[in-house]
Amino acid sequence: MSYGFETLAIHAGQEPDPRTGAVIPPIFQTSTYAQDAVGAPRLGYEYSRSSNPTRDSLQECLAALEGARHGLTFASGLAAEDTLIRAVCQPGDHVIIPDDAYGGTFRLFAKVAERWGISWSTAGVSNVDDVRGKVTASTKLIWIETPTNPLLNIGDIAALAGIARDAGALLVVDNTFASPYLQQPLALGADVVVHSTTKYIGGHSDVVGGALLLNDDEVANQLRFHQNAMGAVNGPFDAWLTLRGVKTLAVRMERHCDNAEQVARFLVAHPKVTQVYYPGLVEHPGHEVAVKQMRRFGGMISFRTGDPVEAERICNTTKVFTLAESLGGIESLIEHPGKMTHLSAAGSALEVPADLVRLSVGIETIDDLLADLAQALG
């Protein structure tokens, strides 16, 4: 029997505890496990870096939500990304990344993977021809975000999957902004989905984590080996907190989207705002693709003011929107990407506009959010 998204979020990998009947699976806060005999661990559990029942529950749940056969979780989104790179790439391989990638992803490729012998190029994820033109004989990964962070560009996952197949490469989709509730890249042809579970999946700004979801058995085995060998796993309490958060993902995302749509319309009409980036707007260049592959358009909005000083002033003036990095929590956040989340890209081809403001629209009362932006914009 197949189940709906909300049912899977609450039940997949989360059967009541068989010993006590506890409805919520327990936190297995242990580092090691008693064995019945030498080389005979119970249920395969030996050491919690290698496997832990709470982490297994989270991995099973996230795989179900993304329609994947395999799920692996990590200590952070970047830990997941690093494990993927080292599991599938070798020195001499080439990777294509977005030309407006998340600053941490850019830093990982430019400052870490490049020193290990991985070359990389940038391409606009919304420009299929640009991506195709950057493919080389050594391209191993086509790595996209859709929507991108922070400019909310939209990549056509199905079209880019075709390019990756033709090149003998893997299409990796960072699905953090959309969450599995709004978009399921594997069903559109992607090979691997990446999440910072810190964001919408956890949803409460109280736990850091990452995940990789995929269907390929061979690649999954490589990833499991590296997950254990490199050891950047999430602890059982972090896994439990993330499971707690994911149960309400569907209802939270609906409210994030409701609020963000109203905020986007408010910003479009405001005289001090020169440009709004939100794929739910019909004038957004990626709107038609977003309609095709997303359930709704998410809670992330970026906008420009035409003046870097004014952009910083707005960030420093809000009262309900908290000035902070990260995104995807129940509370609304505001930030200046150029000096905060994307500072690592300063001076590079991925540098973001200095007058850009990014909003993570939370689930507060919408009238309070609009009033706060109105007073901050002045």
Side-chain angles (χ1 to χ4, degrees), residues 55 58-63 66 70-84 143 172-176 180 192-199 201 208-214 223 227 232 234 242:
R55 188 166 78 240
L58 176 60
Q59 292 177 153
E60 183 178 341
C61 181
L62 295 183
E66 283 286 6
H70 307 285
L72 301 94
T73 60
F74 299 85
S76 69
L78 282 170
E81 294 186 11
D82 188 43
T83 302
L84 175 60
W143 188 298
V172 179
V173 177
D174 185 332
N175 202 28
T176 298
V192 184
V193 171
V194 176
H195 280 284
S196 170
T197 59
T198 310
K199 312 305 194 297
I201 287 176
V208 175
L212 300 172
L213 299 312
L214 68 160
L223 288 170
Q227 181 191 45
N234 49 334
T242 306

mmCIF file of all heavy atoms in Angstrom, residues 55 58-63 66 70-84 143 172-176 180 192-199 201 208-214 223 227 232 234 242:
data_model
loop_
_atom_site.group_PDB
_atom_site.id
_atom_site.type_symbol
_atom_site.label_atom_id
_atom_site.label_comp_id
_atom_site.label_asym_id
_atom_site.label_seq_id
_atom_site.Cartn_x
_atom_site.Cartn_y
_atom_site.Cartn_z
ATOM 1 N N ARG A 55 19.488 7.081 14.026
ATOM 2 C CA ARG A 55 19.895 7.580 12.711
ATOM 3 C C ARG A 55 19.269 6.753 11.603
ATOM 4 O O ARG A 55 18.838 7.298 10.564
ATOM 5 C CB ARG A 55 21.424 7.579 12.593
ATOM 6 C CG ARG A 55 21.902 8.277 11.309
ATOM 7 C CD ARG A 55 23.388 8.572 11.359
ATOM 8 N NE ARG A 55 24.206 7.414 11.082
ATOM 9 C CZ ARG A 55 25.093 6.898 11.924
ATOM 10 N NH1 ARG A 55 25.244 7.421 13.139
ATOM 11 N NH2 ARG A 55 25.815 5.851 11.581
ATOM 12 N N LEU A 58 15.794 7.985 10.892
ATOM 13 C CA LEU A 58 15.784 9.214 10.105
ATOM 14 C C LEU A 58 16.123 8.928 8.651
ATOM 15 O O LEU A 58 15.479 9.461 7.735
ATOM 16 C CB LEU A 58 16.774 10.221 10.697
ATOM 17 C CG LEU A 58 16.948 11.528 9.913
ATOM 18 C CD1 LEU A 58 15.630 12.286 9.803
ATOM 19 C CD2 LEU A 58 18.029 12.395 10.560
ATOM 20 N N GLN A 59 17.120 8.096 8.420
ATOM 21 C CA GLN A 59 17.522 7.788 7.045
ATOM 22 C C GLN A 59 16.380 7.126 6.279
ATOM 23 O O GLN A 59 16.136 7.441 5.105
ATOM 24 C CB GLN A 59 18.776 6.902 7.062
ATOM 25 C CG GLN A 59 19.999 7.653 7.573
ATOM 26 C CD GLN A 59 21.258 6.810 7.676
ATOM 27 O OE1 GLN A 59 22.377 7.328 7.593
ATOM 28 N NE2 GLN A 59 21.113 5.511 7.872
ATOM 29 N N GLU A 60 15.676 6.215 6.928
ATOM 30 C CA GLU A 60 14.547 5.543 6.279
ATOM 31 C C GLU A 60 13.416 6.523 5.984
ATOM 32 O O GLU A 60 12.798 6.485 4.915
ATOM 33 C CB GLU A 60 14.043 4.408 7.159
ATOM 34 C CG GLU A 60 12.913 3.606 6.532
ATOM 35 C CD GLU A 60 12.455 2.450 7.399
ATOM 36 O OE1 GLU A 60 13.206 2.032 8.301
ATOM 37 O OE2 GLU A 60 11.325 1.957 7.160
ATOM 38 N N CYS A 61 13.151 7.423 6.924
ATOM 39 C CA CYS A 61 12.081 8.398 6.738
ATOM 40 C C CYS A 61 12.389 9.347 5.577
ATOM 41 O O CYS A 61 11.542 9.568 4.701
ATOM 42 C CB CYS A 61 11.866 9.180 8.023
ATOM 43 S SG CYS A 61 10.541 10.415 7.915
ATOM 44 N N LEU A 62 13.592 9.893 5.548
ATOM 45 C CA LEU A 62 13.932 10.840 4.489
ATOM 46 C C LEU A 62 13.956 10.162 3.119
ATOM 47 O O LEU A 62 13.552 10.768 2.121
ATOM 48 C CB LEU A 62 15.280 11.500 4.777
ATOM 49 C CG LEU A 62 15.329 12.389 6.023
ATOM 50 C CD1 LEU A 62 16.702 13.046 6.145
ATOM 51 C CD2 LEU A 62 14.235 13.435 6.003
ATOM 52 N N ALA A 63 14.423 8.919 3.064
ATOM 53 C CA ALA A 63 14.389 8.183 1.800
ATOM 54 C C ALA A 63 12.953 8.033 1.312
ATOM 55 O O ALA A 63 12.662 8.218 0.119
ATOM 56 C CB ALA A 63 15.056 6.819 1.966
ATOM 57 N N GLU A 66 11.655 11.330 -0.206
ATOM 58 C CA GLU A 66 12.230 11.687 -1.505
ATOM 59 C C GLU A 66 12.007 10.605 -2.555
ATOM 60 O O GLU A 66 12.470 10.734 -3.689
ATOM 61 C CB GLU A 66 13.737 11.968 -1.373
ATOM 62 C CG GLU A 66 14.080 13.326 -0.784
ATOM 63 C CD GLU A 66 13.847 14.477 -1.755
ATOM 64 O OE1 GLU A 66 13.313 14.240 -2.861
ATOM 65 O OE2 GLU A 66 14.181 15.624 -1.384
ATOM 66 N N HIS A 70 17.655 4.644 -0.907
ATOM 67 C CA HIS A 70 18.739 4.776 0.063
ATOM 68 C C HIS A 70 18.766 6.181 0.639
ATOM 69 O O HIS A 70 18.625 7.169 -0.087
ATOM 70 C CB HIS A 70 20.087 4.475 -0.587
ATOM 71 C CG HIS A 70 20.139 3.172 -1.302
ATOM 72 N ND1 HIS A 70 20.223 1.964 -0.646
ATOM 73 C CD2 HIS A 70 20.101 2.889 -2.640
ATOM 74 C CE1 HIS A 70 20.248 0.987 -1.533
ATOM 75 N NE2 HIS A 70 20.173 1.513 -2.746
ATOM 76 N N GLY A 71 18.973 6.265 1.950
ATOM 77 C CA GLY A 71 19.136 7.547 2.622
ATOM 78 C C GLY A 71 20.302 7.485 3.582
ATOM 79 O O GLY A 71 20.472 6.497 4.304
ATOM 80 N N LEU A 72 21.116 8.517 3.594
ATOM 81 C CA LEU A 72 22.248 8.613 4.509
ATOM 82 C C LEU A 72 22.239 10.009 5.118
ATOM 83 O O LEU A 72 22.050 11.001 4.414
ATOM 84 C CB LEU A 72 23.583 8.386 3.791
ATOM 85 C CG LEU A 72 23.770 7.049 3.074
ATOM 86 C CD1 LEU A 72 23.372 7.167 1.605
ATOM 87 C CD2 LEU A 72 25.226 6.598 3.166
ATOM 88 N N THR A 73 22.436 10.096 6.427
ATOM 89 C CA THR A 73 22.437 11.390 7.082
ATOM 90 C C THR A 73 23.790 11.680 7.717
ATOM 91 O O THR A 73 24.559 10.764 8.025
ATOM 92 C CB THR A 73 21.313 11.494 8.130
ATOM 93 O OG1 THR A 73 21.484 10.483 9.115
ATOM 94 C CG2 THR A 73 19.952 11.353 7.465
ATOM 95 N N PHE A 74 24.051 12.972 7.925
ATOM 96 C CA PHE A 74 25.379 13.438 8.293
ATOM 97 C C PHE A 74 25.285 14.556 9.323
ATOM 98 O O PHE A 74 24.211 15.050 9.640
ATOM 99 C CB PHE A 74 26.112 13.930 7.040
ATOM 100 C CG PHE A 74 26.297 12.865 6.000
ATOM 101 C CD1 PHE A 74 25.291 12.588 5.081
ATOM 102 C CD2 PHE A 74 27.457 12.115 5.963
ATOM 103 C CE1 PHE A 74 25.453 11.592 4.133
ATOM 104 C CE2 PHE A 74 27.632 11.111 5.018
ATOM 105 C CZ PHE A 74 26.622 10.852 4.108
ATOM 106 N N ALA A 75 26.456 14.971 9.799
ATOM 107 C CA ALA A 75 26.524 15.989 10.843
ATOM 108 C C ALA A 75 26.135 17.375 10.345
ATOM 109 O O ALA A 75 25.787 18.240 11.143
ATOM 110 C CB ALA A 75 27.934 16.025 11.435
ATOM 111 N N SER A 76 26.207 17.608 9.043
ATOM 112 C CA SER A 76 25.820 18.895 8.464
ATOM 113 C C SER A 76 25.593 18.694 6.972
ATOM 114 O O SER A 76 25.972 17.660 6.405
ATOM 115 C CB SER A 76 26.914 19.956 8.676
ATOM 116 O OG SER A 76 28.067 19.646 7.904
ATOM 117 N N GLY A 77 25.002 19.691 6.340
ATOM 118 C CA GLY A 77 24.836 19.617 4.900
ATOM 119 C C GLY A 77 26.166 19.566 4.177
ATOM 120 O O GLY A 77 26.333 18.825 3.193
ATOM 121 N N LEU A 78 27.140 20.336 4.640
ATOM 122 C CA LEU A 78 28.456 20.316 3.996
ATOM 123 C C LEU A 78 29.182 18.999 4.233
ATOM 124 O O LEU A 78 29.950 18.549 3.380
ATOM 125 C CB LEU A 78 29.295 21.503 4.491
ATOM 126 C CG LEU A 78 28.932 22.837 3.835
ATOM 127 C CD1 LEU A 78 29.612 23.989 4.546
ATOM 128 C CD2 LEU A 78 29.292 22.826 2.358
ATOM 129 N N ALA A 79 28.951 18.356 5.371
ATOM 130 C CA ALA A 79 29.521 17.027 5.584
ATOM 131 C C ALA A 79 28.956 16.043 4.576
ATOM 132 O O ALA A 79 29.681 15.170 4.056
ATOM 133 C CB ALA A 79 29.248 16.556 7.005
ATOM 134 N N ALA A 80 27.666 16.156 4.286
ATOM 135 C CA ALA A 80 27.059 15.310 3.262
ATOM 136 C C ALA A 80 27.680 15.586 1.901
ATOM 137 O O ALA A 80 28.014 14.656 1.145
ATOM 138 C CB ALA A 80 25.551 15.544 3.218
ATOM 139 N N GLU A 81 27.856 16.862 1.557
ATOM 140 C CA GLU A 81 28.444 17.224 0.273
ATOM 141 C C GLU A 81 29.876 16.704 0.154
ATOM 142 O O GLU A 81 30.264 16.136 -0.881
ATOM 143 C CB GLU A 81 28.417 18.744 0.097
ATOM 144 C CG GLU A 81 27.023 19.325 -0.021
ATOM 145 C CD GLU A 81 27.039 20.804 -0.346
ATOM 146 O OE1 GLU A 81 28.125 21.334 -0.684
ATOM 147 O OE2 GLU A 81 25.974 21.433 -0.273
ATOM 148 N N ASP A 82 30.670 16.895 1.189
ATOM 149 C CA ASP A 82 32.062 16.448 1.162
ATOM 150 C C ASP A 82 32.153 14.934 1.005
ATOM 151 O O ASP A 82 32.982 14.424 0.241
ATOM 152 C CB ASP A 82 32.767 16.898 2.440
ATOM 153 C CG ASP A 82 34.257 16.631 2.404
ATOM 154 O OD1 ASP A 82 34.893 16.884 1.365
ATOM 155 O OD2 ASP A 82 34.793 16.172 3.425
ATOM 156 N N THR A 83 31.289 14.210 1.712
ATOM 157 C CA THR A 83 31.296 12.754 1.601
ATOM 158 C C THR A 83 30.939 12.326 0.182
ATOM 159 O O THR A 83 31.549 11.409 -0.373
ATOM 160 C CB THR A 83 30.313 12.141 2.612
ATOM 161 O OG1 THR A 83 30.677 12.565 3.931
ATOM 162 C CG2 THR A 83 30.342 10.620 2.559
ATOM 163 N N LEU A 84 29.961 12.984 -0.416
ATOM 164 C CA LEU A 84 29.578 12.650 -1.785
ATOM 165 C C LEU A 84 30.731 12.884 -2.755
ATOM 166 O O LEU A 84 31.032 12.033 -3.600
ATOM 167 C CB LEU A 84 28.363 13.490 -2.186
ATOM 168 C CG LEU A 84 27.892 13.368 -3.636
ATOM 169 C CD1 LEU A 84 27.498 11.937 -3.974
ATOM 170 C CD2 LEU A 84 26.736 14.324 -3.898
ATOM 171 N N TRP A 143 26.151 19.617 -10.642
ATOM 172 C CA TRP A 143 25.662 19.910 -9.295
ATOM 173 C C TRP A 143 24.814 21.168 -9.351
ATOM 174 O O TRP A 143 25.314 22.244 -9.680
ATOM 175 C CB TRP A 143 26.866 20.123 -8.379
ATOM 176 C CG TRP A 143 26.594 20.246 -6.930
ATOM 177 C CD1 TRP A 143 25.852 21.206 -6.293
ATOM 178 C CD2 TRP A 143 27.089 19.388 -5.910
ATOM 179 N NE1 TRP A 143 25.850 20.991 -4.941
ATOM 180 C CE2 TRP A 143 26.602 19.874 -4.676
ATOM 181 C CE3 TRP A 143 27.904 18.244 -5.908
ATOM 182 C CZ2 TRP A 143 26.901 19.279 -3.460
ATOM 183 C CZ3 TRP A 143 28.199 17.651 -4.703
ATOM 184 C CH2 TRP A 143 27.712 18.155 -3.490
ATOM 185 N N VAL A 172 23.384 15.956 -9.443
ATOM 186 C CA VAL A 172 23.175 16.149 -8.011
ATOM 187 C C VAL A 172 22.304 17.387 -7.831
ATOM 188 O O VAL A 172 22.623 18.455 -8.362
ATOM 189 C CB VAL A 172 24.513 16.338 -7.277
ATOM 190 C CG1 VAL A 172 24.282 16.566 -5.791
ATOM 191 C CG2 VAL A 172 25.424 15.139 -7.506
ATOM 192 N N VAL A 173 21.212 17.250 -7.089
ATOM 193 C CA VAL A 173 20.308 18.381 -6.860
ATOM 194 C C VAL A 173 20.267 18.701 -5.377
ATOM 195 O O VAL A 173 19.876 17.865 -4.555
ATOM 196 C CB VAL A 173 18.883 18.080 -7.371
ATOM 197 C CG1 VAL A 173 17.956 19.252 -7.057
ATOM 198 C CG2 VAL A 173 18.897 17.803 -8.870
ATOM 199 N N ASP A 174 20.689 19.902 -5.037
ATOM 200 C CA ASP A 174 20.515 20.408 -3.676
ATOM 201 C C ASP A 174 19.066 20.873 -3.559
ATOM 202 O O ASP A 174 18.669 21.878 -4.147
ATOM 203 C CB ASP A 174 21.492 21.562 -3.415
ATOM 204 C CG ASP A 174 21.453 22.051 -1.972
ATOM 205 O OD1 ASP A 174 20.392 21.918 -1.325
ATOM 206 O OD2 ASP A 174 22.467 22.578 -1.498
ATOM 207 N N ASN A 175 18.290 20.134 -2.789
ATOM 208 C CA ASN A 175 16.852 20.356 -2.685
ATOM 209 C C ASN A 175 16.478 21.088 -1.393
ATOM 210 O O ASN A 175 15.320 21.065 -0.971
ATOM 211 C CB ASN A 175 16.118 19.008 -2.745
ATOM 212 C CG ASN A 175 14.673 19.123 -3.182
ATOM 213 O OD1 ASN A 175 14.299 20.032 -3.910
ATOM 214 N ND2 ASN A 175 13.845 18.185 -2.732
ATOM 215 N N THR A 176 17.472 21.740 -0.776
ATOM 216 C CA THR A 176 17.265 22.347 0.535
ATOM 217 C C THR A 176 16.192 23.420 0.514
ATOM 218 O O THR A 176 15.315 23.459 1.389
ATOM 219 C CB THR A 176 18.581 22.940 1.056
ATOM 220 O OG1 THR A 176 19.535 21.884 1.212
ATOM 221 C CG2 THR A 176 18.391 23.633 2.389
ATOM 222 N N PRO A 180 11.613 18.159 0.376
ATOM 223 C CA PRO A 180 10.963 17.077 -0.373
ATOM 224 C C PRO A 180 9.457 17.259 -0.495
ATOM 225 O O PRO A 180 8.833 16.610 -1.340
ATOM 226 C CB PRO A 180 11.321 15.823 0.431
ATOM 227 C CG PRO A 180 11.716 16.305 1.774
ATOM 228 C CD PRO A 180 12.310 17.665 1.572
ATOM 229 N N VAL A 192 21.241 12.039 -7.376
ATOM 230 C CA VAL A 192 21.449 12.198 -5.935
ATOM 231 C C VAL A 192 20.789 13.491 -5.489
ATOM 232 O O VAL A 192 20.898 14.520 -6.174
ATOM 233 C CB VAL A 192 22.953 12.247 -5.571
ATOM 234 C CG1 VAL A 192 23.134 12.324 -4.046
ATOM 235 C CG2 VAL A 192 23.705 11.047 -6.131
ATOM 236 N N VAL A 193 20.106 13.452 -4.363
ATOM 237 C CA VAL A 193 19.533 14.648 -3.750
ATOM 238 C C VAL A 193 20.321 14.961 -2.484
ATOM 239 O O VAL A 193 20.622 14.068 -1.685
ATOM 240 C CB VAL A 193 18.046 14.440 -3.405
ATOM 241 C CG1 VAL A 193 17.514 15.611 -2.578
ATOM 242 C CG2 VAL A 193 17.232 14.276 -4.677
ATOM 243 N N VAL A 194 20.672 16.233 -2.323
ATOM 244 C CA VAL A 194 21.384 16.720 -1.146
ATOM 245 C C VAL A 194 20.445 17.609 -0.344
ATOM 246 O O VAL A 194 19.691 18.403 -0.923
ATOM 247 C CB VAL A 194 22.630 17.538 -1.551
ATOM 248 C CG1 VAL A 194 23.311 18.134 -0.323
ATOM 249 C CG2 VAL A 194 23.605 16.680 -2.327
ATOM 250 N N HIS A 195 20.496 17.469 0.980
ATOM 251 C CA HIS A 195 19.763 18.377 1.854
ATOM 252 C C HIS A 195 20.666 18.860 2.979
ATOM 253 O O HIS A 195 21.431 18.075 3.533
ATOM 254 C CB HIS A 195 18.568 17.686 2.521
ATOM 255 C CG HIS A 195 17.366 17.571 1.656
ATOM 256 N ND1 HIS A 195 16.543 18.640 1.384
ATOM 257 C CD2 HIS A 195 16.844 16.506 0.990
ATOM 258 C CE1 HIS A 195 15.559 18.241 0.597
ATOM 259 N NE2 HIS A 195 15.717 16.949 0.347
ATOM 260 N N SER A 196 20.536 20.133 3.322
ATOM 261 C CA SER A 196 20.897 20.570 4.653
ATOM 262 C C SER A 196 19.636 20.383 5.481
ATOM 263 O O SER A 196 18.693 21.176 5.381
ATOM 264 C CB SER A 196 21.335 22.040 4.667
ATOM 265 O OG SER A 196 21.450 22.489 6.007
ATOM 266 N N THR A 197 19.598 19.320 6.281
ATOM 267 C CA THR A 197 18.406 19.058 7.093
ATOM 268 C C THR A 197 18.263 20.065 8.224
ATOM 269 O O THR A 197 17.231 20.107 8.901
ATOM 270 C CB THR A 197 18.435 17.630 7.659
ATOM 271 O OG1 THR A 197 19.617 17.453 8.460
ATOM 272 C CG2 THR A 197 18.424 16.599 6.545
ATOM 273 N N THR A 198 19.289 20.884 8.412
ATOM 274 C CA THR A 198 19.231 22.012 9.341
ATOM 275 C C THR A 198 18.053 22.917 9.013
ATOM 276 O O THR A 198 17.476 23.534 9.916
ATOM 277 C CB THR A 198 20.522 22.843 9.227
ATOM 278 O OG1 THR A 198 21.655 21.992 9.311
ATOM 279 C CG2 THR A 198 20.596 23.918 10.283
ATOM 280 N N LYS A 199 17.704 22.983 7.744
ATOM 281 C CA LYS A 199 16.777 23.986 7.258
ATOM 282 C C LYS A 199 15.326 23.496 7.379
ATOM 283 O O LYS A 199 14.865 23.226 8.471
ATOM 284 C CB LYS A 199 17.153 24.370 5.827
ATOM 285 C CG LYS A 199 18.649 24.680 5.632
ATOM 286 C CD LYS A 199 19.196 25.739 6.561
ATOM 287 C CE LYS A 199 20.557 26.280 6.173
ATOM 288 N NZ LYS A 199 21.669 25.323 6.183
ATOM 289 N N ILE A 201 13.702 20.730 6.750
ATOM 290 C CA ILE A 201 13.398 19.397 7.262
ATOM 291 C C ILE A 201 13.403 19.396 8.787
ATOM 292 O O ILE A 201 12.451 18.933 9.425
ATOM 293 C CB ILE A 201 14.383 18.365 6.682
ATOM 294 C CG1 ILE A 201 14.053 18.125 5.206
ATOM 295 C CG2 ILE A 201 14.327 17.052 7.461
ATOM 296 C CD1 ILE A 201 15.019 17.203 4.491
ATOM 297 N N VAL A 208 21.600 20.841 13.579
ATOM 298 C CA VAL A 208 22.360 20.903 12.328
ATOM 299 C C VAL A 208 22.484 19.500 11.759
ATOM 300 O O VAL A 208 22.727 18.534 12.495
ATOM 301 C CB VAL A 208 23.759 21.511 12.571
ATOM 302 C CG1 VAL A 208 24.609 21.462 11.310
ATOM 303 C CG2 VAL A 208 23.622 22.952 13.074
ATOM 304 N N GLY A 209 22.312 19.362 10.450
ATOM 305 C CA GLY A 209 22.453 18.039 9.839
ATOM 306 C C GLY A 209 22.409 18.116 8.332
ATOM 307 O O GLY A 209 22.142 19.176 7.738
ATOM 308 N N GLY A 210 22.693 16.989 7.690
ATOM 309 C CA GLY A 210 22.646 16.896 6.238
ATOM 310 C C GLY A 210 22.214 15.521 5.811
ATOM 311 O O GLY A 210 22.189 14.574 6.612
ATOM 312 N N ALA A 211 21.871 15.378 4.532
ATOM 313 C CA ALA A 211 21.401 14.091 4.031
ATOM 314 C C ALA A 211 21.712 13.939 2.554
ATOM 315 O O ALA A 211 21.785 14.926 1.809
ATOM 316 C CB ALA A 211 19.903 13.930 4.265
ATOM 317 N N LEU A 212 21.881 12.676 2.140
ATOM 318 C CA LEU A 212 21.985 12.291 0.741
ATOM 319 C C LEU A 212 20.929 11.224 0.485
ATOM 320 O O LEU A 212 20.808 10.272 1.257
ATOM 321 C CB LEU A 212 23.373 11.725 0.411
ATOM 322 C CG LEU A 212 24.568 12.644 0.633
ATOM 323 C CD1 LEU A 212 25.873 11.868 0.435
ATOM 324 C CD2 LEU A 212 24.520 13.839 -0.318
ATOM 325 N N LEU A 213 20.163 11.373 -0.598
ATOM 326 C CA LEU A 213 19.120 10.418 -0.966
ATOM 327 C C LEU A 213 19.338 10.000 -2.406
ATOM 328 O O LEU A 213 19.610 10.847 -3.260
ATOM 329 C CB LEU A 213 17.723 11.052 -0.821
ATOM 330 C CG LEU A 213 17.256 11.540 0.552
ATOM 331 C CD1 LEU A 213 17.502 10.500 1.658
ATOM 332 C CD2 LEU A 213 17.854 12.871 0.933
ATOM 333 N N LEU A 214 19.209 8.712 -2.695
ATOM 334 C CA LEU A 214 19.478 8.210 -4.036
ATOM 335 C C LEU A 214 18.896 6.823 -4.230
ATOM 336 O O LEU A 214 18.475 6.165 -3.265
ATOM 337 C CB LEU A 214 20.982 8.184 -4.308
ATOM 338 C CG LEU A 214 21.833 7.170 -3.522
ATOM 339 C CD1 LEU A 214 23.162 6.948 -4.253
ATOM 340 C CD2 LEU A 214 22.126 7.641 -2.100
ATOM 341 N N LEU A 223 28.870 5.405 -0.791
ATOM 342 C CA LEU A 223 28.582 6.460 0.183
ATOM 343 C C LEU A 223 28.560 5.914 1.604
ATOM 344 O O LEU A 223 29.066 6.555 2.532
ATOM 345 C CB LEU A 223 27.241 7.123 -0.143
ATOM 346 C CG LEU A 223 27.229 8.013 -1.386
ATOM 347 C CD1 LEU A 223 25.806 8.403 -1.742
ATOM 348 C CD2 LEU A 223 28.089 9.255 -1.174
ATOM 349 N N GLN A 227 30.752 7.229 4.511
ATOM 350 C CA GLN A 227 30.071 7.745 5.699
ATOM 351 C C GLN A 227 30.721 7.187 6.958
ATOM 352 O O GLN A 227 30.984 7.920 7.919
ATOM 353 C CB GLN A 227 28.583 7.367 5.647
ATOM 354 C CG GLN A 227 27.760 7.875 6.825
ATOM 355 C CD GLN A 227 26.375 7.242 6.864
ATOM 356 O OE1 GLN A 227 26.229 6.034 6.695
ATOM 357 N NE2 GLN A 227 25.358 8.063 7.079
ATOM 358 N N ALA A 232 31.638 11.616 9.485
ATOM 359 C CA ALA A 232 30.941 12.883 9.745
ATOM 360 C C ALA A 232 29.440 12.649 9.907
ATOM 361 O O ALA A 232 28.607 13.216 9.197
ATOM 362 C CB ALA A 232 31.204 13.871 8.616
ATOM 363 N N ASN A 234 25.693 12.344 12.026
ATOM 364 C CA ASN A 234 24.934 13.047 13.058
ATOM 365 C C ASN A 234 24.729 12.129 14.262
ATOM 366 O O ASN A 234 24.577 10.913 14.122
ATOM 367 C CB ASN A 234 23.585 13.533 12.515
ATOM 368 C CG ASN A 234 22.803 12.462 11.787
ATOM 369 O OD1 ASN A 234 23.361 11.519 11.260
ATOM 370 N ND2 ASN A 234 21.497 12.618 11.754
ATOM 371 N N THR A 242 15.692 15.944 14.359
ATOM 372 C CA THR A 242 15.331 16.107 12.954
ATOM 373 C C THR A 242 14.077 15.311 12.627
ATOM 374 O O THR A 242 13.193 15.790 11.898
ATOM 375 C CB THR A 242 16.502 15.688 12.056
ATOM 376 O OG1 THR A 242 17.681 16.401 12.448
ATOM 377 C CG2 THR A 242 16.207 15.983 10.597
#
